[in-house]
Amino acid sequence: MENQAVKFASGNEMAILAIKQIGYDMMGYYPITPSTQIAEGLDLLRSETETDIIMIAAEGEHSAAGVCYGAAVGGGRVINATSANGLLYAIEQFPVQSGTRYPMVMNVVCRAISGPLSIKGDHSDIMFMLNAGWPILFAHSAQEVYDFNILALKLAEKVRLPVVVAYDGFFTSHQKRRCLYFEAEQTVRNFLGQKKEEYPFLDLEHPVTVGSYMNEPDLINNRYQLHLAMERAGKVLPELYQEYESISGRGYKAVEGYQAEDAECLLILLGSSFDTAMEGVDTLREKGEKVGLLTLHVMRPFPQKEIAQACREASVILIADRQDSYGGGGGNLSLEIRAALHKSKKEVKVKSLVYGLGGKDFFAKDAVSMFEWALSPDTPDFDYYGVEPGKERKERPFFAPLLPEKTKIGATKVRKEEDGSLAVQGGSLNATAGMPKRLAPGHGACPGCGIPVNLNLLLRGIEDPVVLLFQTGCGMIVTTAYPYTSFKVPYLHNLFQNGAATLSGLAEICYRKQERGEIPAGDIVFIMVSGDGGMDIGMGSALGTALRGHRLILFEYDNGGYMNTGYQLSYSTPLGARSATSHIGKKQYGKSFFHKDMPQLMAAAGIPYVATMAESNPTDFIKKAAKAAYYAKEEGTVYLRALSACPLNWNDKPMTERKVIDGAVNCCYFPLYEVENHKTVLNYDPEKFGKKIPVLDWLSMMGRTKHLKKESYKEVVEAFQQEVDRRYACLKAKAENPIL
Amino acid sequence: MERGSLPLQQGKKYYEIRLESIGGLGANLCGKMLGELAVNHLGLNSTSFSSYGSEKTGTPVKAYIRYCESGQEIRVHSPIVTPDLLVVFHEALLQDPGVWEGCGKHSRALVAISGSAKNLYTDVCCNLAELWVVNAQQIAMECHSRINVVMLGAMAKVMGFVSLSDVECICEAALGKKYPDALAGNLEGIRRGYEQVNRLNRDGVASGEPDEFSQREEEAWGYETAPIGGINPCFGSTVLSDLSPSRQGYLPIFIKERCINCGLCDSTCPDMVFQFMEGEYKGRKMMVNNGLDYYHCKGCLRCVDSCPVNALVQGLEADHPEKSHFMPNQELIRTPDYYRKAGADGYITSESFLTEKRMGGGEV
């Protein structure tokens, strides 16, 4: 046995430790709760020079999977971590990787899939992986997360398949326990050995083609090879468990039991519930009930024989699924176990319960109730556990609906000029204070948050009825936590790689219904609201919508980071800014690349109106909103971007946020301009008002960038200033030369 | 009580602690430190975790810590229902019966208070073995520490089997290397929490039976009654949230005589607090600021910073129990039967970024 030390750590922290000790070459990732901590923790270690793993922050999970695939083909040892819809978004890539046989490891920190959106733990994501051709190990404790991460890579490289290590989101990923780990990194590396490549891709002397075009009669043979590799994984795993036990003292089997040997009634469940249920078994055993538990450490290859063997004494078997294969009469664990038991001759009663969806807590007493349910002759073969019929609710609205006459307050008027541009009258703060708020108060945004401020400014300038679509992000989470909602107007959420496309469909069906007279004519303004994070992963969808030219507004609140998941870098995070995935340390100074110039990308799509706005210039903001509404109703797609304060993650004082925004405008980091019918107009030139400040003055106002004041970051600041100056000079040239 | 020996209730396998807090006060990190304390310093086994994501559903934050003897495995992953020690980080939570769930004669409670504790026993919804109080916010402000650190010191005293030096050690381990500057203040916060926590004598104070947990009308949807697809037809219903617990001691005070009705406050307020209505100012018809909806003011003070004529000024909440110009939302067509106490739910912790910042005494 090798030397081991104690660590009080969560499942995610043990994954980080294993990944560091293994010495992976690369992680390609995109943050998603509850797996995000893994990338964050590795970036922190990287900044402290404790690992030199290459960290690539892709713009979405689909790309992250692509990054990992490319690196695996290149012969690197590669790791990924994801959850829920991230896994589903990337899923197309997984059979590509298993079919072409490139090993890697991916941690799937299991979470409920949308919609409605839940961030909590269940197994609805991982079961979508069952047909992907990846072996799937399932850890039910933080200790197993560590052990299985090490085992997984060895398995992957032995059978040349990518492998998943799955574990419960939050219950396992976030609960801290006492765990053991190898004191010497070398122990882990010796266990794994060197990676061997059968066909080294980067060997120029022996060029290979990967990813052939293959139909009948060949594809089935390729798939049979994959099947054989999976069969082999089933044989290799017990050997690996044994080898691992000899260095760690911890032995594993595909199927683990608790009081199962002589149990007449067995409860089978996956993940952390197995541990909790032991206490329920103890309670019933004290009363003389012969009950026991089983769990699986591996879902692929499915341990059919081991399960059948472990169930041979039981007369009643209850499988509790933390997801449902809707219409299948049970979750996938149930279906697979039922199939496995079909081979055994013994007469046995098998029942299934779906429980604990969306992170609903599982107590020891729930295990007791489940046993009682299973042993009762009156219960069906399949049911849900822990659902409530609820009570009738009377609809008594708090607000009157915002019908068109309520919002047509005449405070802002738009007129088309002869040259085709729009002139806006009004828009004063006093007059527009009379605009009814489209959002109710009581939302849960942080004190001083810029999102509702920007949204209210936008909607003050729009006097028509609005339909709002929010992409996933803080703005959506803090306004719509069930059973409450802040919205007083029609509102829809969709995942943030697809909001713009969804709104395209919604707007077009509305216009069609209006043409047919099925709903009243009259102007409705369709607005998608997205953070800058949503404009990374949803960039393609937004550009596609703009290129098609649907009549709607794409409104981006840019707070420069993925704030909803705890502030990881976005492509709009300023250079040098500290974030949870761009730490400051010996090797890193914060974010390593420039902020994305999204307005110019959208302007290049040739849409009629692009504008930037800031709450520090509120009347300009409101007037642009009025223009945007006009263009969205009459001509085509509009893109608006407002800089939005995040006191929590910018690490500054909530009360001074308007001044910080003003600083961003005055240093020309966030210039106020519009591109109206392809012509650029600068709305505010700080130089003319003698208000121009160096970029560093603005960066010094925020805790996330304050460190750049240090002499050692001089070069970073100089590069930043040059880029800001370059972009501003470019804008000025465009404003002076309409042809540009 | 002997150091390190666990005072286990009859029939219980674990010593259980539940922290009740509001996002931003650092209960999550406090729970983690308590977990490490047991494993690294007390020779016990432990687990710690928080009410995940609750920061984002408008409900206050809970953190859970279980202790047991070193040789014993901790198998349960479920939240703590019957705590041996309940710790309440904010007074605003006291009236919420859910906070006291599962407490009884077996429980000690520790409450962070800011003013007098005279009426505390009547606020508490259940019988308790012991009730302790500490003015955590004041101590934290005075020694440039954080509420969670002060509470950690106070908890050591209340638990009995943890010494002051144990909690000092864990604080040093968590902070010493990264934030040497903040360490002295935090150690002082711990010490003063330990020394200044008081046990309340309940002589002459009546204490009722625990209330039934009131089922709220709005939360009673189930599979037979909830609209399909998670659709929510109750538009604007977050108006039910009373967000005053989000305020951290300060609030905007409106001096109406100075107001020029420019509307800047309304344009900078994230919480729709200002009640502008048609009226007259200096003989002109215009929108006039009639007051503030303090139910929904989170105390960010953006309006104070934006007001060009000092018609809005920063005031101490304690100095203004009667808020003048308090005007509930004027767009309501039905007054809510109650307002549910809620904290801002945007406080999202990122292990490697924010918790450190908070521990370092950074502005959050």
Side-chain angles (χ1 to χ4, degrees):
Chain A
M1 282 235 299
E2 303 288 339
N3 283 343
Q4 294 179 71
V6 172
K7 188 177 167 79
F8 185 67
S10 67
N12 280 347
E13 286 165 345
M14 291 311 284
I16 294 165
L17 181 59
I19 292 164
K20 171 189 173 271
Q21 291 190 322
I22 288 166
Y24 275 101
D25 295 304
M26 184 187 288
M27 178 174 200
Y29 71 98
Y30 186 79
I32 181 165
T33 307
S35 62
T36 311
Q37 289 176 332
I38 297 176
E40 292 177 350
L42 286 167
D43 185 75
L44 184 63
L45 291 174
R46 220 185 101 79
S47 73
E48 290 163 351
T49 65
E50 287 191 30
T51 170
D52 64 351
I53 188 170
I54 304 167
M55 300 288 294
I56 297 188
E59 81 282 6
E61 288 90 352
H62 189 261
S63 299
V67 167
C68 290
Y69 179 53
V73 170
R77 275 185 168 159
V78 187
I79 185 82
N80 190 355
T82 192
S83 300
N85 289 79
L87 182 84
L88 266 60
Y89 186 38
I91 207 159
E92 168 212 274
Q93 289 296 297
F94 301 135
V96 170
Q97 185 147 354
S98 59
T100 52
R101 307 290 298 278
Y102 284 96
M104 67 168 279
V105 173
M106 175 166 67
N107 283 270
V108 175
V109 187
C110 301
R111 160 185 151 182
I113 53 169
S114 290
L117 187 143
S118 162
I119 62 159
K120 297 209 184 174
D122 69 27
H123 299 153
S124 53
D125 52 3
I126 186 62
M127 295 305 173
F128 275 89
M129 277 299 279
L130 292 178
N131 300 324
W134 292 44
I136 301 170
L137 308 183
F138 210 108
H140 67 68
S141 66
Q143 181 68 63
E144 289 179 5
V145 172
Y146 175 80
D147 295 338
F148 288 8
N149 260 283
I150 296 167
L151 281 163
L153 184 61
K154 184 142 185 169
L155 174 67
E157 291 178 359
K158 261 200 184 294
V159 301
R160 284 199 288 280
L161 282 176
V163 176
V164 164
V165 177
Y167 51 99
D168 283 358
F170 296 113
F171 304 113
T172 308
S173 67
H174 282 58
Q175 288 197 14
K176 287 178 182 264
R177 305 268 156 154
R178 188 176 54 186
C179 303
L180 291 170
Y181 68 98
F182 296 112
E183 276 184 308
E185 241 165 46
Q186 203 52 49
T187 307
V188 176
R189 294 186 185 185
N190 288 346
F191 175 77
L192 291 168
Q194 291 291 317
K195 178 171 181 169
K196 292 185 196 79
E197 293 180 82
E198 196 172 358
Y199 299 100
F201 188 80
L202 298 174
D203 177 358
L204 300 184
E205 286 178 31
H206 305 91
V208 294
T209 292
V210 175
S212 300
Y213 170 57
M214 188 189 288
N215 292 314
E216 45 70 40
D218 306 300
L219 191 76
I220 195 167
N221 295 324
N222 159 281
R223 293 293 191 259
Y224 188 65
Q225 287 178 322
L226 175 51
H227 155 77
L228 291 176
M230 196 63 95
E231 295 269 288
R232 188 158 169 253
K235 293 195 175 70
V236 166
L237 261 172
E239 298 164 22
L240 292 183
Y241 288 147
Q242 211 169 15
E243 194 185 337
Y244 191 73
E245 186 173 3
S246 69
I247 60 167
S248 69
R250 290 182 294 280
Y252 292 107
K253 286 187 289 191
V255 176
E256 184 184 336
Y258 179 72
Q259 301 279 21
E261 289 287 310
D262 65 339
E264 284 161 11
C265 180
L266 275 173
L267 171 62
I268 309 178
L269 17 69
L270 269 186
S272 59
S273 302
F274 176 68
D275 287 354
T276 305
M278 288 180 190
E279 306 243 329
V281 167
D282 287 355
T283 307
L284 289 171
R285 282 268 169 180
E286 277 167 27
K287 293 182 190 163
E289 305 257 8
K290 283 189 155 182
V291 297
L293 298 175
L294 292 178
T295 194
L296 280 72
H297 282 143
V298 51
M299 280 297 292
R300 282 288 180 272
F302 194 77
Q304 278 204 335
K305 276 185 199 145
E306 292 88 340
I307 272 284
Q309 174 75 11
C311 290
R312 70 192 183 283
E313 297 299 326
S315 52
V316 177
I317 290 166
L318 170 60
I319 304 135
D321 295 280
R322 218 166 190 151
Q323 53 84 234
D324 193 359
S325 176
Y326 302 98
N332 290 86
L333 181 65
S334 277
L335 304 183
E336 305 247 343
I337 290 175
R338 284 169 189 267
L341 293 177
H342 192 67
K343 288 182 181 168
S344 71
K345 298 250 162 54
K346 190 169 177 278
E347 193 65 22
V348 57
K349 186 86 192 147
V350 186
K351 296 185 175 191
S352 298
L353 280 176
V354 169
Y355 80 105
L357 303 189
K360 191 171 162 69
D361 281 309
F362 177 73
F363 294 89
K365 67 175 167 35
D366 293 320
V368 173
S369 304
M370 284 181 174
F371 278 116
E372 285 165 357
W373 182 87
L375 289 166
S376 160
D378 305 326
T379 50
D381 289 346
F382 170 55
D383 207 346
Y384 269 54
Y385 177 85
V387 291
E388 298 289 341
K391 291 186 184 139
E392 276 306 328
R393 254 172 80 149
K394 286 186 211 112
E395 291 305 321
R396 293 194 299 145
F398 293 106
F399 298 98
L402 291 176
L403 299 174
E405 61 270 19
K406 295 230 176 201
T407 51
K408 292 215 189 297
I409 58 170
T412 317
K413 291 194 179 73
V414 180
R415 196 184 65 244
K416 190 141 193 162
E417 301 281 355
E418 276 175 20
D419 67 351
S421 69
L422 295 182
V424 185
Q425 281 182 323
S428 83
L429 285 185
N430 181 277
T432 57
M435 176 64 81
K437 304 281 195 288
R438 268 67 164 232
L439 269 78
H443 59 74
C446 297
C449 174
I451 300 169
V453 178
N454 286 309
L455 204 60
N456 280 332
L457 279 171
L458 174 78
L459 295 173
R460 268 169 186 251
I462 301 178
E463 303 207 345
D464 305 289
V466 294
V467 166
L468 300 177
L469 181 144
F470 274 47
Q471 300 207 95
T472 315
C474 280
M476 163 261 168
I477 295 281
V478 301
T479 48
T480 57
Y482 198 75
Y484 304 102
T485 175
S486 295
F487 294 97
K488 297 194 233 166
V489 296
Y491 161 93
L492 170 66
H493 159 257
N494 200 3
L495 302 168
F496 52 9
Q497 59 274 26
N498 224 357
T502 308
L503 197 64
S504 310
L506 186 58
E508 294 301 332
I509 209 70
C510 172
Y511 300 145
R512 169 56 60 90
K513 283 192 165 201
Q514 286 180 330
E515 275 167 28
R516 285 182 179 162
E518 289 169 20
I519 55 173
D523 294 319
I524 297 178
V525 178
F526 289 86
I527 308 172
M528 181 188 84
V529 178
S530 172
D532 50 302
M535 276 292 171
D536 282 351
I537 190 171
M539 200 162 14
S541 180
L543 283 166
T545 297
L547 291 166
R548 294 190 301 269
H550 300 280
R551 286 175 286 152
L552 49 83
I553 297 175
L554 305 174
F555 178 68
E556 176 180 2
Y557 60 87
D558 165 23
N559 49 26
Y562 302 157
M563 306 318 188
N564 187 36
T565 40
Y567 187 24
Q568 296 78 30
L569 72 86
S570 83
Y571 291 6
S572 299
T573 304
L575 181 77
R578 182 185 179 195
S579 79
T581 49
S582 60
H583 288 92
I584 307 162
K586 289 173 203 151
K587 264 182 77 176
Q588 293 179 184
Y589 54 81
K591 193 198 174 202
S592 63
F593 57 100
F594 290 118
H595 57 288
K596 179 174 62 172
D597 195 347
M598 194 69 197
Q600 288 298 311
L601 284 169
M602 295 304 290
I607 54 180
Y609 192 60
V610 170
T612 62
M613 44 246 267
E615 58 162 292
S616 51
N617 300 52
T619 310
D620 176 69
F621 197 131
I622 293 165
K623 287 184 170 178
K624 285 172 176 167
K627 277 188 174 183
Y630 179 93
Y631 281 114
K633 284 185 295 180
E634 305 294 337
E635 300 194 6
T637 309
V638 171
Y639 168 77
L640 305 173
R641 181 181 235 207
L643 191 61
S644 185
C646 178
L648 182 66
N649 293 316
W650 288 10
N651 195 9
D652 49 14
K653 288 210 168 73
M655 76 186 294
T656 58
E657 288 300 7
R658 187 158 278 189
K659 290 190 176 120
V660 179
I661 300 280
D662 198 37
V665 172
N666 282 330
C667 76
C668 298
Y669 170 83
F670 198 87
L672 298 181
Y673 70 98
E674 51 196 342
V675 185
E676 188 171 356
N677 296 316
H678 316 294
K679 283 180 200 149
T680 300
V681 179
L682 270 177
N683 307 108
Y684 168 75
D685 186 352
E687 280 165 356
K688 277 191 191 154
F689 295 87
K691 288 202 167 177
K692 179 89 193 283
I693 56 170
V695 167
L696 186 60
D697 285 11
W698 172 61
L699 296 171
S700 306
M701 296 164 101
M702 297 176 287
R704 65 170 175 167
T705 41
K706 219 188 276 182
H707 60 283
L708 296 173
K709 278 197 289 191
K710 287 185 195 157
E711 185 62 22
S712 50
Y713 297 119
K714 208 175 142 202
E715 280 175 30
V716 179
V717 175
E718 271 170 15
F720 200 148
Q721 184 70 55
Q722 270 175 23
E723 177 65 9
V724 164
D725 290 346
R726 185 191 68 75
R727 289 189 194 181
Y728 196 64
C730 205
L731 273 182
K732 272 178 130 175
K734 284 183 178 174
E736 284 155 15
N737 303 283
I739 194 79
L740 294 178
Chain B
M1 200 178 305
E2 202 183 321
R3 176 175 173 269
S5 95
L6 276 180
L8 290 183
Q9 307 281 334
Q10 180 116 38
K12 278 188 78 171
K13 291 176 176 172
Y14 311 106
Y15 181 85
E16 297 182 312
I17 308 168
R18 189 169 79 221
L19 312 183
E20 298 277 352
S21 184
I22 290 170
L25 299 180
N28 180 27
L29 182 63
C30 189
K32 274 182 210 153
M33 288 169 77
L34 283 165
E36 280 172 22
L37 173 75
V39 170
N40 296 339
H41 295 275
L42 301 178
L44 298 170
N45 194 6
S46 78
T47 179
S48 75
F49 56 103
S50 300
S51 53
Y52 315 111
S54 69
E55 294 129 311
K56 311 207 81 191
T57 56
T59 52
V61 181
K62 295 170 194 277
Y64 309 97
I65 305 98
R66 280 193 177 91
Y67 288 172
C68 66
E69 296 303 337
S70 174
Q72 189 185 329
E73 287 299 315
I74 301 178
R75 300 186 298 199
V76 281
H77 288 72
S78 45
I80 288 165
V81 182
T82 55
D84 297 280
L85 173 62
L86 182 85
V87 184
V88 185
F89 277 54
H90 197 297
E91 279 171 301
L93 298 166
L94 287 176
Q95 280 100 40
D96 179 358
V99 162
W100 299 97
E101 187 189 3
C103 287
K105 287 178 183 143
H106 57 278
S107 317
R108 295 179 187 191
L110 164 65
V111 179
I113 52 157
S114 55
S116 156
K118 218 170 71 185
N119 297 323
L120 200 57
Y121 257 113
T122 46
D123 284 344
V124 170
C125 313
C126 59
N127 277 309
L128 292 167
E130 292 172 15
L131 178 57
W132 297 68
V133 293
V134 63
N135 195 333
Q137 185 155 27
Q138 195 187 335
I139 296 174
M141 281 160 88
E142 283 171 12
C143 47
H144 302 288
S145 177
R146 302 274 307 165
I147 285 177
N148 56 353
V149 175
V150 179
M151 295 304 277
L152 197 62
M155 269 184 263
K157 180 72 169 281
V158 177
M159 283 192 276
F161 55 92
V162 180
S163 72
L164 179 58
S165 63
D166 289 330
V167 276
E168 283 171 345
C169 273
I170 198 73
C171 181
E172 242 178 292
L175 278 177
K177 212 168 90 187
K178 278 192 177 137
Y179 298 96
D181 301 345
L183 184 62
N186 281 319
L187 287 178
E188 199 196 334
I190 285 189
R191 185 182 52 77
R192 288 187 55 188
Y194 188 86
E195 286 168 0
Q196 293 176 13
V197 63
N198 282 314
R199 187 172 166 188
L200 274 196
N201 190 335
R202 65 183 311 162
D203 288 348
V205 182
S207 153
E209 285 301 301
D211 290 349
E212 285 290 305
F213 294 118
S214 50
Q215 268 291 331
R216 287 171 182 149
E217 174 199 358
E218 268 75 10
E219 287 175 337
W221 271 336
Y223 61 84
E224 280 182 0
T225 55
I228 56 164
I231 287 165
N232 192 343
C234 295
F235 57 98
S237 52
T238 54
V239 74
L240 283 172
S241 305
D242 174 359
L243 285 155
S244 45
S246 290
R247 297 198 289 264
Q248 304 220 350
Y250 298 100
L251 78 177
I253 303 297
F254 185 36
I255 304 166
K256 195 165 168 31
E257 308 81 76
R258 295 181 184 167
C259 178
I260 55 169
N261 299 303
C262 65
L264 271 169
C265 52
D266 189 39
S267 83
T268 198
C269 177
D271 295 301
M272 299 78 149
V273 164
F274 293 93
Q275 304 304 310
F276 275 80
M277 287 181 285
E278 282 175 13
E280 230 181 70
Y281 174 67
K282 289 195 171 171
R284 278 177 57 207
K285 281 200 166 178
M286 55 160 44
M287 300 304 294
V288 172
N289 187 356
N290 282 280
L292 286 74
D293 170 13
Y294 284 105
Y295 284 127
H296 299 109
C297 170
K298 295 176 186 140
C300 70
L301 304 177
R302 267 173 166 258
C303 54
V304 170
D305 201 61
S306 293
C307 182
V309 291
N310 292 324
L312 287 155
V313 295
Q314 173 175 333
L316 271 174
E317 183 111 35
D319 294 345
H320 298 272
E322 305 290 325
K323 299 167 187 72
S324 57
H325 305 291
F326 187 155
M327 179 171 273
N329 189 292
Q330 291 301 295
E331 290 177 35
L332 284 169
I333 56 167
R334 161 166 92 90
T335 308
D337 305 331
Y338 64 89
Y339 285 95
R340 52 188 272 277
K341 295 264 183 215
D345 44 58
Y347 285 102
I348 308 141
T349 52
S350 158
E351 296 275 323
S352 59
F353 182 70
L354 281 170
T355 44
E356 281 180 15
K357 190 175 79 184
R358 290 205 176 103
M359 277 305 298
E363 189 70 38
V364 173

